[in-house]
Amino acid sequence: PPPAAASPGPGTLNPFDRRLKRKQKNWAALQAEPAKCDYLREEVQGRRRWRDHLETFPLALDVGSGRGYIAQHLTKETVEKLVQIDIAENALKNSVESEIPTVRVVADEEFLPFKEDTFDLVVSSLSLHWVNDLPKAFKEIQQVLKPDGVFIGAMFGGDTLYELRCSLQLAELEREGGFSPHVSPFTAVADLGHLLARAGFNTLTVDTDEIQVNYPGLFEVMEDLQGKYILCMGESNCSWNRKPLLHRETMLAAAAIYQEMYGNSDGSVPATFQIYYMIGWKYHESQAKPAQRGSATVSFGDLAKIEGLLKREKK
């Protein structure tokens, strides 16, 4: 097993039980029809439009590959050889076939077992939100990239499932006098660019997107998230301070709050998934560099005059 499989215990820098997460992902990979549970991942890969961003890379790494969701959106023209790593061996054993020559390695995102300057491209999709030490994971990715190599990733953002979280918290406060987390904590978008820059990436691009899924009510949301879909994707909450059970009265109150606060006109309720997309490059001397401070020949104050100057030039 990879080094992080033996989780040392809860703490400020250790919010997730990585051993439990490994078990969850292994269980998910053995389900009879895992493809039915991949709709969210497939939607993220489709919106990322990998082919539009990629050139030709001799060697690529997929961090937290799962069953190989990204590989299905790559071709031999974009990636000549692909290495997939995941903490769950069952996910790698049940990977979707790809036309790209692929090597699969059981490894943890925080402990990449590769030499520095190895890969031309590193990709990751919906995996890094379960990492205990995200700055370290970004640093590991930056180190295994070759100079001028690029990292392209996607992860769940801080507003994911905010309707569900708010409804459960209000219901627990009302019925039990306090609340516990039922949804995993996520990184804020304001921190993401800073973390990537600290890891050594430059020419950064960070943007957000939202995917909204409508359900008949809160109980259907919980059924899908805890059972049929998210658990099948290995996305069950593995926080050390998670609460194992919810009282029936609390659930009924949460369902009423969910419907009242967020319900759609047709009676359904939305579940929102926020996605962060990120691109960062490893430094190389051939990359474009910012001009020195004070070297500009045009002032920002002149921008308002551009339209008039262009009209005068046309005349």
Side-chain angles (χ1 to χ4, degrees):
S7 299
T12 304
L13 299 179
N14 187 37
F16 303 121
D17 184 348
R18 294 288 289 174
R19 180 181 295 175
L20 175 60
K21 176 49 56 184
R22 182 168 175 241
K23 290 181 179 179
Q24 290 172 346
K25 295 186 73 174
N26 272 322
W27 180 90
L30 295 178
Q31 297 313 295
E33 297 179 286
K36 289 185 177 180
C37 307
D38 295 341
Y39 74 97
L40 194 58
R41 295 184 186 276
E42 288 298 328
E43 180 68 19
V44 171
Q45 310 323 330
R47 294 191 181 192
R48 178 72 280 180
R49 301 181 65 180
W50 299 93
R51 293 185 181 89
D52 293 349
H53 294 280
L54 303 182
E55 302 172 2
T56 300
F57 298 92
L59 184 60
L61 172 67
D62 185 355
V63 177
S65 63
R67 296 178 55 250
Y69 311 100
I70 294 179
Q72 301 174 67
H73 296 266
L74 301 175
T75 65
K76 291 181 180 179
E77 288 70 32
T78 55
V79 173
E80 296 177 0
K81 186 174 182 180
L82 178 66
V83 178
Q84 296 176 330
I85 69 164
D86 199 278
I87 197 173
E89 60 272 21
N90 289 341
L92 297 175
K93 291 177 183 177
N94 291 277
S95 294
V96 180
E97 291 299 322
S98 169
E99 66 178 42
I100 304 172
T102 303
V103 176
R104 300 178 177 92
V105 180
V106 180
D108 191 273
E109 293 92 337
E110 295 182 31
F111 303 91
L112 300 182
F114 307 105
K115 295 180 180 180
E116 292 187 20
D117 304 337
T118 299
F119 297 96
D120 306 278
L121 166 71
V122 176
V123 295
S124 180
S125 183
L126 302 187
S127 173
L128 294 177
H129 58 283
W130 289 122
V131 169
N132 276 317
D133 192 344
L134 189 57
K136 182 178 185 298
F138 283 154
K139 187 64 178 177
E140 292 266 328
I141 291 172
Q142 194 269 351
Q143 288 178 345
V144 300
L145 274 173
K146 293 179 179 178
D148 204 32
V150 60
F151 166 55
I152 304 177
M155 61 187 294
F156 284 121
D159 287 339
T160 295
L161 297 174
Y162 70 88
E163 306 99 337
L164 177 63
R165 282 185 291 176
C166 184
S167 300
L168 289 172
Q169 289 175 4
L170 290 175
E172 280 192 296
L173 282 171
E174 177 190 347
R175 298 303 173 96
E176 303 178 32
F179 64 87
S180 300
H182 298 282
V183 179
S184 167
F186 298 104
T187 303
V189 68
D191 299 327
L192 194 56
H194 179 62
L195 292 175
L196 289 166
R198 281 182 54 191
F201 291 101
N202 58 21
T203 319
L204 297 173
T205 300
V206 177
D207 59 273
T208 66
D209 193 9
E210 286 189 354
I211 299 174
Q212 192 173 89
V213 184
N214 292 322
Y215 295 88
L218 177 137
F219 292 102
E220 288 77 13
V221 176
M222 296 289 287
E223 179 185 2
D224 277 5
L225 296 182
Q226 294 184 345
K228 184 165 54 179
Y229 290 122
I230 299 300
L231 189 57
C232 286
M233 293 196 299
E235 288 296 324
S236 297
N237 190 1
C238 68
S239 302
W240 286 103
N241 59 350
R242 65 192 179 277
K243 188 176 181 179
L245 296 173
L246 274 171
H247 298 296
R248 181 175 179 273
E249 294 77 11
T250 303
M251 288 289 293
L252 290 172
I257 293 172
Y258 205 138
Q259 186 66 53
E260 179 66 25
M261 294 182 62
Y262 305 107
N264 298 317
S265 58
D266 61 358
S268 64
V269 296
T272 300
F273 298 88
Q274 185 181 40
I275 312 297
Y276 296 158
Y277 296 106
M278 64 201 101
I279 302 176
W281 298 79
K282 187 169 182 176
Y283 174 76
H284 187 268
E285 58 183 11
S286 64
Q287 294 173 350
K289 301 177 179 63
Q292 293 184 354
R293 184 182 294 273
S295 61
T297 57
V298 179
S299 170
F300 279 111
D302 295 332
L303 292 178
K305 306 175 184 177
I306 289 181
E307 186 175 355
L309 292 173
L310 291 175
K311 290 180 178 179
R312 190 183 308 169
E313 185 176 339
K314 288 180 180 179
K315 289 180 180 179

